[in-house]
Amino acid sequence: MKALVTGFEPFGADAVNPSRKAVLRLPARLGDLAIETRVLPTVFGRAIAALDDALVTVWPDIVLCVGLAGGRAELSLERVAINVDDARIPDNDGQQPIDRPIAADGPAAYFTGLPVKAAVAAMREAGLPAIVSNTAGTFVCNHVFYGLMHLVVTRHLPVRGGFLHVPYLPSQAACLSGAPSMALDQIVQGIEIVLRVAAARTDDIATPEGMIS
Amino acid sequence: MKALVTGFEPFGADAVNPSRKAVLRLPARLGDLAIETRVLPTVFGRAIAALDDALVTVWPDIVLCVGLAGGRAELSLERVAINVDDARIPDNDGQQPIDRPIAADGPAAYFTGLPVKAAVAAMREAGLPAIVSNTAGTFVCNHVFYGLMHLVVTRHLPVRGGFLHVPYLPSQAACLSGAPSMALDQIVQGIEIVLRVAAARTDDIATPEGMIS
Amino acid sequence: MKALVTGFEPFGADAVNPSRKAVLRLPARLGDLAIETRVLPTVFGRAIAALDDALVTVWPDIVLCVGLAGGRAELSLERVAINVDDARIPDNDGQQPIDRPIAADGPAAYFTGLPVKAAVAAMREAGLPAIVSNTAGTFVCNHVFYGLMHLVVTRHLPVRGGFLHVPYLPSQAACLSGAPSMALDQIVQGIEIVLRVAAARTDDIATPEGMIS
Amino acid sequence: MKALVTGFEPFGADAVNPSRKAVLRLPARLGDLAIETRVLPTVFGRAIAALDDALVTVWPDIVLCVGLAGGRAELSLERVAINVDDARIPDNDGQQPIDRPIAADGPAAYFTGLPVKAAVAAMREAGLPAIVSNTAGTFVCNHVFYGLMHLVVTRHLPVRGGFLHVPYLPSQAACLSGAPSMALDQIVQGIEIVLRVAAARTDDIATPEGMIS
């Protein structure tokens, strides 16, 4: 079984991106699961193109895209990607789309293909703060998550895909005021757990991880 | 032109629900816009049934459902409703659905039918903290929002619908620790502004109100 | 019985200061309590001088200084003032003292002279979010609070003094992202409650309002 | 030169205390600085007695007490200890003092004896989120910090003392909702940096680390 794991280039005011650092530290294998990694440009359009390119090169069974969610305290497995780009800041090419569909003919949203609740339970058991999140935002992270699922569905790929948002690194939070952070080791560990759980099972567990609002 | 505005009964640990209180204080008219109000049970299934009943009684042009988002500091106009019930706590009938579709044959999500960015801009201009939110949660609020849009689309109703999440009242926050709140007057004012903007325009403005994550 | 209540001029990036607005809306009397108000400059040194001037003009029995604590969700009655100026930003005269004692010969701190727990309980009963706070910061608010208590003690004034921090106004939070706020009416109501309680009793109640950290 | 570093036993709802774990992982030496460690009971009175006992056994030059500040995202070097016990929850012996002075004849507060700003700067340079905090709360942490400084001053001990609050461990935050956390490695590293800076210098640097409120 093969997994493709992607991170992002740094963007906005940040000089580093923990998703990039974490992905580059993943091992080549986790048990029977071979791991390929890519770092995507934080650019609308080009990010999906790079992901597409990786998909047809690697032919993975599992795809986990990883991105930074600055300000969150927990590893956040995303439940859903929505069909809209609404950029609060320009991307790394200076583009700032507002309320633009990602796929003109695509559905309003795609749900994750990964067993997010089982993965969250496994991360917590390993001592990592983790949640199921109901929004991946409207910037390049959501864009890539939606793009991934749209490619999988429209091309009938035998791929289970999902998205993990990770906190700031401590070194990033050290320059901010009061922002929570997570050590790189733990971000890497969280990614590995998600991959192991995704490799081990296709169905999810039925635990209440929803949000009131 | 007619608007239907709904609030919810109190739920969980709360003895009051600001959405209910606010809706009951709305005037019968705002300029040319006639206003009908309903209070929905905070119950999966029955809430949509009650909304459906109101729709076929009132035949509104605009529907704004209002709910409590305890812990948020701002009036949050929701961008999207997703097709899942995942209850963190039981509803008022003791039901706690986990990862259950709201409409088995429905799309993954519906986008709001209201000009949320124009409404947010108008609320801010009036001195009210307001945002466009990308998640209405997975409890009865999202359930009703999705149910509303599904009724509108599947029945081809000439209705523009949307959802507003409101903060705790100060009297609720007084019993909690550190939770933000908003005075009832301002919640009522926010609802009125959303209604006026929705009555005045169908298209939205193109301002960056997206979230990075 | 006479009370002196002070607010502050706007400072930093803020165009208004809720403490100033609230103080200017206080009535001239609350039952038997006559109320005098002053607006202090947000300036190290000059703020205490203006307060001193008011003290010898008004000869109050109770002094409540009020200031803005942007980012807090609750009315915060301060427990303690500390003998240090450490300015994160320049004051309105461009001064930015670092780790400078307020009174070279003063004690490290003064505790409030007001029954803060009874006042917090009364505010909550009236439906207002309120806490006992253990830090008034190290900017002009703490400066004035310390200065007040130092004047009272060194001059043996028959004055009971204290400090109330108030949240942003909604109109201020509307320009920020996610900051909690409180309506002016409620800030005014909170001040009036503190004054009534302070006029009615000198001892405090023994409720646990401490913080773990 | 010798340092005494203390942590606390777990308290309240927590099964572990990161301050205890971190202190037990400190090396016996950091360069020329010998390190002795103790774990204090989270008990009013007995904690200071145990600290006192350690002081007269170890005869340290530097004392750093470390405690848990659940909910904070950063390593917090405390600026000031105040002369009051006000327990929000019972301590480990079931005591819950309310508004009781720690030392009946003591001053209202003691300022830290450590170069907290130099230490915060060094922690940040090492990539650790760190702040100067102006409140150590009113529970056993503040109690011990005040008790330490009171012993030092009243006995004329040649000791420079201070207090460091540390965040939850990730494994603790994994059981909570949204709480920030910090890896044990980084907490240990932070303590070591504070010790090195304290051993290297007695004066502090003049950087603005104050709080507005």
Side-chain angles (χ1 to χ4, degrees), chain A residues 69 72 79 86 88 98-99 108-109 117 134-135 138-139 210-211 213, chain B residues 69 72 79 86 88 98-99 108-109 117 134-135 138-139 210-211 213:
Chain A
R72 295 197 198 177
R79 186 196 294 264
D86 192 12
R88 175 170 289 268
I98 302 291
D99 293 342
K117 291 182 170 183
N134 300 305
T135 173
T138 58
F139 195 56
M211 299 289 178
S213 62
Chain B
R72 295 197 197 177
R79 187 197 292 266
D86 192 12
R88 176 169 289 267
I98 302 290
D99 293 342
K117 291 182 170 182
N134 299 305
T135 174
T138 58
F139 196 55
M211 300 288 179
S213 63

PDB file of all heavy atoms in Angstrom, chain A residues 69 72 79 86 88 98-99 108-109 117 134-135 138-139 210-211 213, chain B residues 69 72 79 86 88 98-99 108-109 117 134-135 138-139 210-211 213:
ATOM      1  N   ALA A  69      -2.529  25.502  10.404  1.00  0.00           N
ATOM      2  CA  ALA A  69      -3.673  26.263  10.918  1.00  0.00           C
ATOM      3  C   ALA A  69      -3.176  27.085  12.109  1.00  0.00           C
ATOM      4  O   ALA A  69      -3.319  26.680  13.262  1.00  0.00           O
ATOM      5  CB  ALA A  69      -4.804  25.337  11.321  1.00  0.00           C
ATOM      6  N   ARG A  72      -4.591  27.367  16.008  1.00  0.00           N
ATOM      7  CA  ARG A  72      -5.244  26.192  16.599  1.00  0.00           C
ATOM      8  C   ARG A  72      -4.256  25.483  17.526  1.00  0.00           C
ATOM      9  O   ARG A  72      -3.054  25.503  17.304  1.00  0.00           O
ATOM     10  CB  ARG A  72      -5.703  25.215  15.509  1.00  0.00           C
ATOM     11  CG  ARG A  72      -6.796  25.783  14.611  1.00  0.00           C
ATOM     12  CD  ARG A  72      -7.503  24.685  13.848  1.00  0.00           C
ATOM     13  NE  ARG A  72      -8.243  25.202  12.697  1.00  0.00           N
ATOM     14  CZ  ARG A  72      -8.909  24.471  11.829  1.00  0.00           C
ATOM     15  NH1 ARG A  72      -8.928  23.141  11.970  1.00  0.00           N
ATOM     16  NH2 ARG A  72      -9.553  25.012  10.816  1.00  0.00           N
ATOM     17  N   ARG A  79     -13.100  17.339   8.238  1.00  0.00           N
ATOM     18  CA  ARG A  79     -14.221  16.502   7.853  1.00  0.00           C
ATOM     19  C   ARG A  79     -14.683  16.805   6.431  1.00  0.00           C
ATOM     20  O   ARG A  79     -15.170  15.924   5.739  1.00  0.00           O
ATOM     21  CB  ARG A  79     -15.387  16.779   8.807  1.00  0.00           C
ATOM     22  CG  ARG A  79     -16.591  15.884   8.627  1.00  0.00           C
ATOM     23  CD  ARG A  79     -17.843  16.459   9.316  1.00  0.00           C
ATOM     24  NE  ARG A  79     -17.794  16.518  10.746  1.00  0.00           N
ATOM     25  CZ  ARG A  79     -18.307  15.599  11.580  1.00  0.00           C
ATOM     26  NH1 ARG A  79     -18.885  14.521  11.090  1.00  0.00           N
ATOM     27  NH2 ARG A  79     -18.230  15.758  12.883  1.00  0.00           N
ATOM     28  N   ASP A  86     -11.767  31.867  -1.038  1.00  0.00           N
ATOM     29  CA  ASP A  86     -12.024  33.217  -0.520  1.00  0.00           C
ATOM     30  C   ASP A  86     -10.811  33.589   0.326  1.00  0.00           C
ATOM     31  O   ASP A  86     -10.731  33.284   1.511  1.00  0.00           O
ATOM     32  CB  ASP A  86     -13.315  33.224   0.316  1.00  0.00           C
ATOM     33  CG  ASP A  86     -13.786  34.635   0.637  1.00  0.00           C
ATOM     34  OD1 ASP A  86     -13.268  35.596   0.045  1.00  0.00           O
ATOM     35  OD2 ASP A  86     -14.682  34.778   1.494  1.00  0.00           O
ATOM     36  N   ARG A  88      -8.167  35.512   2.362  1.00  0.00           N
ATOM     37  CA  ARG A  88      -8.022  36.654   3.276  1.00  0.00           C
ATOM     38  C   ARG A  88      -6.736  37.424   2.973  1.00  0.00           C
ATOM     39  O   ARG A  88      -6.660  38.633   3.189  1.00  0.00           O
ATOM     40  CB  ARG A  88      -8.009  36.139   4.722  1.00  0.00           C
ATOM     41  CG  ARG A  88      -7.757  37.181   5.798  1.00  0.00           C
ATOM     42  CD  ARG A  88      -8.010  36.615   7.179  1.00  0.00           C
ATOM     43  NE  ARG A  88      -9.422  36.403   7.385  1.00  0.00           N
ATOM     44  CZ  ARG A  88     -10.260  37.306   7.928  1.00  0.00           C
ATOM     45  NH1 ARG A  88      -9.799  38.447   8.387  1.00  0.00           N
ATOM     46  NH2 ARG A  88     -11.523  37.054   8.049  1.00  0.00           N
ATOM     47  N   ILE A  98     -11.705  35.840  -4.594  1.00  0.00           N
ATOM     48  CA  ILE A  98     -12.805  36.110  -3.661  1.00  0.00           C
ATOM     49  C   ILE A  98     -14.042  35.337  -4.128  1.00  0.00           C
ATOM     50  O   ILE A  98     -14.518  35.557  -5.249  1.00  0.00           O
ATOM     51  CB  ILE A  98     -13.136  37.619  -3.629  1.00  0.00           C
ATOM     52  CG1 ILE A  98     -11.917  38.455  -3.240  1.00  0.00           C
ATOM     53  CG2 ILE A  98     -14.312  37.903  -2.693  1.00  0.00           C
ATOM     54  CD1 ILE A  98     -11.462  38.295  -1.821  1.00  0.00           C
ATOM     55  N   ASP A  99     -14.523  34.457  -3.300  1.00  0.00           N
ATOM     56  CA  ASP A  99     -15.796  33.759  -3.569  1.00  0.00           C
ATOM     57  C   ASP A  99     -15.847  33.113  -4.949  1.00  0.00           C
ATOM     58  O   ASP A  99     -16.850  33.205  -5.658  1.00  0.00           O
ATOM     59  CB  ASP A  99     -16.976  34.729  -3.408  1.00  0.00           C
ATOM     60  CG  ASP A  99     -17.141  35.152  -1.960  1.00  0.00           C
ATOM     61  OD1 ASP A  99     -16.605  34.465  -1.075  1.00  0.00           O
ATOM     62  OD2 ASP A  99     -17.785  36.177  -1.708  1.00  0.00           O
ATOM     63  N   ALA A 108     -20.949  21.278  -3.935  1.00  0.00           N
ATOM     64  CA  ALA A 108     -20.664  22.304  -2.935  1.00  0.00           C
ATOM     65  C   ALA A 108     -19.579  21.859  -1.962  1.00  0.00           C
ATOM     66  O   ALA A 108     -18.848  22.692  -1.420  1.00  0.00           O
ATOM     67  CB  ALA A 108     -21.940  22.667  -2.181  1.00  0.00           C
ATOM     68  N   ALA A 109     -19.465  20.552  -1.753  1.00  0.00           N
ATOM     69  CA  ALA A 109     -18.486  20.079  -0.776  1.00  0.00           C
ATOM     70  C   ALA A 109     -18.168  18.607  -1.006  1.00  0.00           C
ATOM     71  O   ALA A 109     -18.908  17.891  -1.688  1.00  0.00           O
ATOM     72  CB  ALA A 109     -19.022  20.270   0.644  1.00  0.00           C
ATOM     73  N   LYS A 117     -12.362   9.892  12.822  1.00  0.00           N
ATOM     74  CA  LYS A 117     -12.612   9.706  14.253  1.00  0.00           C
ATOM     75  C   LYS A 117     -11.713   8.622  14.846  1.00  0.00           C
ATOM     76  O   LYS A 117     -11.227   8.765  15.970  1.00  0.00           O
ATOM     77  CB  LYS A 117     -14.086   9.387  14.494  1.00  0.00           C
ATOM     78  CG  LYS A 117     -14.961  10.596  14.207  1.00  0.00           C
ATOM     79  CD  LYS A 117     -16.413  10.325  14.482  1.00  0.00           C
ATOM     80  CE  LYS A 117     -17.218  11.618  14.417  1.00  0.00           C
ATOM     81  NZ  LYS A 117     -18.631  11.375  14.764  1.00  0.00           N
ATOM     82  N   ASN A 134     -14.534  20.957  11.369  1.00  0.00           N
ATOM     83  CA  ASN A 134     -15.572  21.064  10.347  1.00  0.00           C
ATOM     84  C   ASN A 134     -15.332  22.178   9.344  1.00  0.00           C
ATOM     85  O   ASN A 134     -16.184  22.473   8.526  1.00  0.00           O
ATOM     86  CB  ASN A 134     -16.933  21.241  11.014  1.00  0.00           C
ATOM     87  CG  ASN A 134     -17.257  20.060  11.900  1.00  0.00           C
ATOM     88  OD1 ASN A 134     -17.234  18.918  11.438  1.00  0.00           O
ATOM     89  ND2 ASN A 134     -17.509  20.315  13.174  1.00  0.00           N
ATOM     90  N   THR A 135     -14.179  22.813   9.427  1.00  0.00           N
ATOM     91  CA  THR A 135     -13.819  23.795   8.408  1.00  0.00           C
ATOM     92  C   THR A 135     -12.316  23.810   8.196  1.00  0.00           C
ATOM     93  O   THR A 135     -11.549  23.944   9.147  1.00  0.00           O
ATOM     94  CB  THR A 135     -14.307  25.210   8.744  1.00  0.00           C
ATOM     95  OG1 THR A 135     -13.757  26.108   7.751  1.00  0.00           O
ATOM     96  CG2 THR A 135     -13.879  25.677  10.122  1.00  0.00           C
ATOM     97  N   THR A 138     -10.903  28.802   3.867  1.00  0.00           N
ATOM     98  CA  THR A 138     -11.236  29.093   2.465  1.00  0.00           C
ATOM     99  C   THR A 138     -10.007  29.534   1.686  1.00  0.00           C
ATOM    100  O   THR A 138     -10.119  30.202   0.664  1.00  0.00           O
ATOM    101  CB  THR A 138     -12.328  30.188   2.379  1.00  0.00           C
ATOM    102  OG1 THR A 138     -11.845  31.365   3.052  1.00  0.00           O
ATOM    103  CG2 THR A 138     -13.628  29.741   3.013  1.00  0.00           C
ATOM    104  N   PHE A 139      -8.823  29.170   2.218  1.00  0.00           N
ATOM    105  CA  PHE A 139      -7.560  29.553   1.564  1.00  0.00           C
ATOM    106  C   PHE A 139      -7.003  28.331   0.809  1.00  0.00           C
ATOM    107  O   PHE A 139      -7.771  27.454   0.399  1.00  0.00           O
ATOM    108  CB  PHE A 139      -6.604  30.084   2.647  1.00  0.00           C
ATOM    109  CG  PHE A 139      -5.412  30.848   2.129  1.00  0.00           C
ATOM    110  CD1 PHE A 139      -5.578  31.950   1.299  1.00  0.00           C
ATOM    111  CD2 PHE A 139      -4.115  30.473   2.491  1.00  0.00           C
ATOM    112  CE1 PHE A 139      -4.467  32.659   0.838  1.00  0.00           C
ATOM    113  CE2 PHE A 139      -3.008  31.177   2.037  1.00  0.00           C
ATOM    114  CZ  PHE A 139      -3.178  32.271   1.217  1.00  0.00           C
ATOM    115  N   GLY A 210     -18.595  15.740  17.034  1.00  0.00           N
ATOM    116  CA  GLY A 210     -19.166  16.910  16.379  1.00  0.00           C
ATOM    117  C   GLY A 210     -19.029  18.163  17.229  1.00  0.00           C
ATOM    118  O   GLY A 210     -18.606  18.109  18.383  1.00  0.00           O
ATOM    119  N   MET A 211     -19.386  19.283  16.645  1.00  0.00           N
ATOM    120  CA  MET A 211     -19.349  20.566  17.336  1.00  0.00           C
ATOM    121  C   MET A 211     -20.774  21.119  17.415  1.00  0.00           C
ATOM    122  O   MET A 211     -21.556  20.963  16.486  1.00  0.00           O
ATOM    123  CB  MET A 211     -18.486  21.569  16.562  1.00  0.00           C
ATOM    124  CG  MET A 211     -17.040  21.154  16.393  1.00  0.00           C
ATOM    125  SD  MET A 211     -16.104  21.227  17.952  1.00  0.00           S
ATOM    126  CE  MET A 211     -14.493  20.622  17.375  1.00  0.00           C
ATOM    127  N   SER A 213     -21.371  24.307  17.520  1.00  0.00           N
ATOM    128  CA  SER A 213     -21.355  25.421  16.562  1.00  0.00           C
ATOM    129  C   SER A 213     -19.917  25.738  16.185  1.00  0.00           C
ATOM    130  O   SER A 213     -18.996  25.152  16.717  1.00  0.00           O
ATOM    131  CB  SER A 213     -21.979  26.655  17.176  1.00  0.00           C
ATOM    132  OG  SER A 213     -21.237  27.071  18.301  1.00  0.00           O
TER     133      SER A 213
ATOM    134  N   ALA B  69     -24.372  30.265  19.291  1.00  0.00           N
ATOM    135  CA  ALA B  69     -23.019  29.713  19.185  1.00  0.00           C
ATOM    136  C   ALA B  69     -22.248  30.125  20.428  1.00  0.00           C
ATOM    137  O   ALA B  69     -21.511  31.114  20.426  1.00  0.00           O
ATOM    138  CB  ALA B  69     -22.324  30.210  17.917  1.00  0.00           C
ATOM    139  N   ARG B  72     -18.591  32.043  20.882  1.00  0.00           N
ATOM    140  CA  ARG B  72     -18.180  32.986  19.843  1.00  0.00           C
ATOM    141  C   ARG B  72     -18.428  34.414  20.323  1.00  0.00           C
ATOM    142  O   ARG B  72     -19.358  34.668  21.080  1.00  0.00           O
ATOM    143  CB  ARG B  72     -18.953  32.749  18.543  1.00  0.00           C
ATOM    144  CG  ARG B  72     -18.657  31.405  17.911  1.00  0.00           C
ATOM    145  CD  ARG B  72     -19.096  31.392  16.446  1.00  0.00           C
ATOM    146  NE  ARG B  72     -19.198  30.019  15.945  1.00  0.00           N
ATOM    147  CZ  ARG B  72     -19.620  29.694  14.731  1.00  0.00           C
ATOM    148  NH1 ARG B  72     -19.972  30.649  13.882  1.00  0.00           N
ATOM    149  NH2 ARG B  72     -19.689  28.435  14.339  1.00  0.00           N
ATOM    150  N   ARG B  79     -21.769  30.596   6.021  1.00  0.00           N
ATOM    151  CA  ARG B  79     -21.595  30.501   4.583  1.00  0.00           C
ATOM    152  C   ARG B  79     -22.149  29.201   4.029  1.00  0.00           C
ATOM    153  O   ARG B  79     -22.615  29.150   2.901  1.00  0.00           O
ATOM    154  CB  ARG B  79     -20.087  30.551   4.275  1.00  0.00           C
ATOM    155  CG  ARG B  79     -19.748  30.623   2.811  1.00  0.00           C
ATOM    156  CD  ARG B  79     -18.277  30.256   2.554  1.00  0.00           C
ATOM    157  NE  ARG B  79     -17.301  31.191   3.065  1.00  0.00           N
ATOM    158  CZ  ARG B  79     -16.756  32.179   2.357  1.00  0.00           C
ATOM    159  NH1 ARG B  79     -17.086  32.361   1.096  1.00  0.00           N
ATOM    160  NH2 ARG B  79     -15.857  32.981   2.904  1.00  0.00           N
ATOM    161  N   ASP B  86     -23.933  15.254  13.692  1.00  0.00           N
ATOM    162  CA  ASP B  86     -22.950  14.619  14.578  1.00  0.00           C
ATOM    163  C   ASP B  86     -23.049  15.346  15.916  1.00  0.00           C
ATOM    164  O   ASP B  86     -22.400  16.363  16.143  1.00  0.00           O
ATOM    165  CB  ASP B  86     -21.554  14.723  13.972  1.00  0.00           C
ATOM    166  CG  ASP B  86     -20.536  13.841  14.703  1.00  0.00           C
ATOM    167  OD1 ASP B  86     -20.948  13.000  15.521  1.00  0.00           O
ATOM    168  OD2 ASP B  86     -19.331  13.996  14.451  1.00  0.00           O
ATOM    169  N   ARG B  88     -22.716  16.349  19.620  1.00  0.00           N
ATOM    170  CA  ARG B  88     -21.807  16.253  20.771  1.00  0.00           C
ATOM    171  C   ARG B  88     -22.578  15.984  22.051  1.00  0.00           C
ATOM    172  O   ARG B  88     -22.065  15.343  22.972  1.00  0.00           O
ATOM    173  CB  ARG B  88     -21.013  17.554  20.876  1.00  0.00           C
ATOM    174  CG  ARG B  88     -20.090  17.686  22.070  1.00  0.00           C
ATOM    175  CD  ARG B  88     -19.173  18.887  21.925  1.00  0.00           C
ATOM    176  NE  ARG B  88     -18.182  18.652  20.894  1.00  0.00           N
ATOM    177  CZ  ARG B  88     -16.960  18.142  21.122  1.00  0.00           C
ATOM    178  NH1 ARG B  88     -16.569  17.863  22.353  1.00  0.00           N
ATOM    179  NH2 ARG B  88     -16.127  17.930  20.143  1.00  0.00           N
ATOM    180  N   ILE B  98     -25.024  10.259  15.286  1.00  0.00           N
ATOM    181  CA  ILE B  98     -23.581  10.342  15.001  1.00  0.00           C
ATOM    182  C   ILE B  98     -23.365  10.106  13.505  1.00  0.00           C
ATOM    183  O   ILE B  98     -23.743   9.049  12.975  1.00  0.00           O
ATOM    184  CB  ILE B  98     -22.820   9.252  15.789  1.00  0.00           C
ATOM    185  CG1 ILE B  98     -23.067   9.392  17.292  1.00  0.00           C
ATOM    186  CG2 ILE B  98     -21.332   9.269  15.475  1.00  0.00           C
ATOM    187  CD1 ILE B  98     -22.431  10.594  17.934  1.00  0.00           C
ATOM    188  N   ASP B  99     -22.780  11.078  12.834  1.00  0.00           N
ATOM    189  CA  ASP B  99     -22.386  10.937  11.430  1.00  0.00           C
ATOM    190  C   ASP B  99     -23.518  10.426  10.542  1.00  0.00           C
ATOM    191  O   ASP B  99     -23.308   9.553   9.695  1.00  0.00           O
ATOM    192  CB  ASP B  99     -21.168  10.005  11.318  1.00  0.00           C
ATOM    193  CG  ASP B  99     -19.944  10.634  11.949  1.00  0.00           C
ATOM    194  OD1 ASP B  99     -19.937  11.857  12.144  1.00  0.00           O
ATOM    195  OD2 ASP B  99     -18.997   9.896  12.259  1.00  0.00           O
ATOM    196  N   ALA B 108     -23.573  17.172  -0.505  1.00  0.00           N
ATOM    197  CA  ALA B 108     -22.726  17.258   0.692  1.00  0.00           C
ATOM    198  C   ALA B 108     -22.925  18.567   1.443  1.00  0.00           C
ATOM    199  O   ALA B 108     -22.737  18.616   2.658  1.00  0.00           O
ATOM    200  CB  ALA B 108     -21.255  17.095   0.304  1.00  0.00           C
ATOM    201  N   ALA B 109     -23.304  19.614   0.716  1.00  0.00           N
ATOM    202  CA  ALA B 109     -23.445  20.918   1.365  1.00  0.00           C
ATOM    203  C   ALA B 109     -24.312  21.840   0.531  1.00  0.00           C
ATOM    204  O   ALA B 109     -24.537  21.608  -0.657  1.00  0.00           O
ATOM    205  CB  ALA B 109     -22.072  21.559   1.569  1.00  0.00           C
ATOM    206  N   LYS B 117     -21.700  38.811   2.977  1.00  0.00           N
ATOM    207  CA  LYS B 117     -20.629  39.802   3.132  1.00  0.00           C
ATOM    208  C   LYS B 117     -21.186  41.219   3.202  1.00  0.00           C
ATOM    209  O   LYS B 117     -20.695  42.042   3.987  1.00  0.00           O
ATOM    210  CB  LYS B 117     -19.624  39.663   2.000  1.00  0.00           C
ATOM    211  CG  LYS B 117     -18.839  38.366   2.114  1.00  0.00           C
ATOM    212  CD  LYS B 117     -17.799  38.241   1.031  1.00  0.00           C
ATOM    213  CE  LYS B 117     -16.872  37.062   1.335  1.00  0.00           C
ATOM    214  NZ  LYS B 117     -15.810  36.963   0.311  1.00  0.00           N
ATOM    215  N   ASN B 134     -17.484  29.781   8.414  1.00  0.00           N
ATOM    216  CA  ASN B 134     -17.470  28.675   7.458  1.00  0.00           C
ATOM    217  C   ASN B 134     -17.916  27.351   8.052  1.00  0.00           C
ATOM    218  O   ASN B 134     -17.809  26.310   7.411  1.00  0.00           O
ATOM    219  CB  ASN B 134     -16.064  28.541   6.864  1.00  0.00           C
ATOM    220  CG  ASN B 134     -15.659  29.793   6.141  1.00  0.00           C
ATOM    221  OD1 ASN B 134     -16.371  30.248   5.259  1.00  0.00           O
ATOM    222  ND2 ASN B 134     -14.546  30.396   6.546  1.00  0.00           N
ATOM    223  N   THR B 135     -18.388  27.393   9.293  1.00  0.00           N
ATOM    224  CA  THR B 135     -18.974  26.181   9.870  1.00  0.00           C
ATOM    225  C   THR B 135     -20.087  26.541  10.828  1.00  0.00           C
ATOM    226  O   THR B 135     -19.907  27.352  11.743  1.00  0.00           O
ATOM    227  CB  THR B 135     -17.945  25.292  10.577  1.00  0.00           C
ATOM    228  OG1 THR B 135     -18.662  24.208  11.223  1.00  0.00           O
ATOM    229  CG2 THR B 135     -17.152  26.047  11.619  1.00  0.00           C
ATOM    230  N   THR B 138     -22.226  20.847  13.765  1.00  0.00           N
ATOM    231  CA  THR B 138     -22.865  19.604  13.291  1.00  0.00           C
ATOM    232  C   THR B 138     -24.045  19.210  14.183  1.00  0.00           C
ATOM    233  O   THR B 138     -24.442  18.059  14.228  1.00  0.00           O
ATOM    234  CB  THR B 138     -21.844  18.446  13.249  1.00  0.00           C
ATOM    235  OG1 THR B 138     -21.304  18.264  14.570  1.00  0.00           O
ATOM    236  CG2 THR B 138     -20.720  18.712  12.282  1.00  0.00           C
ATOM    237  N   PHE B 139     -24.575  20.212  14.912  1.00  0.00           N
ATOM    238  CA  PHE B 139     -25.707  19.968  15.816  1.00  0.00           C
ATOM    239  C   PHE B 139     -27.002  20.462  15.143  1.00  0.00           C
ATOM    240  O   PHE B 139     -27.087  20.494  13.916  1.00  0.00           O
ATOM    241  CB  PHE B 139     -25.414  20.673  17.152  1.00  0.00           C
ATOM    242  CG  PHE B 139     -26.266  20.225  18.309  1.00  0.00           C
ATOM    243  CD1 PHE B 139     -26.344  18.889  18.679  1.00  0.00           C
ATOM    244  CD2 PHE B 139     -26.988  21.157  19.054  1.00  0.00           C
ATOM    245  CE1 PHE B 139     -27.133  18.486  19.761  1.00  0.00           C
ATOM    246  CE2 PHE B 139     -27.767  20.769  20.133  1.00  0.00           C
ATOM    247  CZ  PHE B 139     -27.846  19.432  20.484  1.00  0.00           C
ATOM    248  N   GLY B 210     -12.798  35.615   3.956  1.00  0.00           N
ATOM    249  CA  GLY B 210     -12.452  34.208   4.136  1.00  0.00           C
ATOM    250  C   GLY B 210     -11.542  33.992   5.328  1.00  0.00           C
ATOM    251  O   GLY B 210     -11.062  34.943   5.953  1.00  0.00           O
ATOM    252  N   MET B 211     -11.323  32.746   5.647  1.00  0.00           N
ATOM    253  CA  MET B 211     -10.444  32.356   6.742  1.00  0.00           C
ATOM    254  C   MET B 211      -9.271  31.557   6.167  1.00  0.00           C
ATOM    255  O   MET B 211      -9.464  30.763   5.241  1.00  0.00           O
ATOM    256  CB  MET B 211     -11.180  31.475   7.753  1.00  0.00           C
ATOM    257  CG  MET B 211     -12.381  32.136   8.400  1.00  0.00           C
ATOM    258  SD  MET B 211     -11.914  33.433   9.581  1.00  0.00           S
ATOM    259  CE  MET B 211     -13.553  33.991  10.116  1.00  0.00           C
ATOM    260  N   SER B 213      -7.730  29.306   7.914  1.00  0.00           N
ATOM    261  CA  SER B 213      -7.996  27.929   8.390  1.00  0.00           C
ATOM    262  C   SER B 213      -9.074  27.981   9.455  1.00  0.00           C
ATOM    263  O   SER B 213      -9.509  29.054   9.854  1.00  0.00           O
ATOM    264  CB  SER B 213      -6.743  27.298   8.964  1.00  0.00           C
ATOM    265  OG  SER B 213      -6.313  28.026  10.084  1.00  0.00           O
TER     266      SER B 213
END
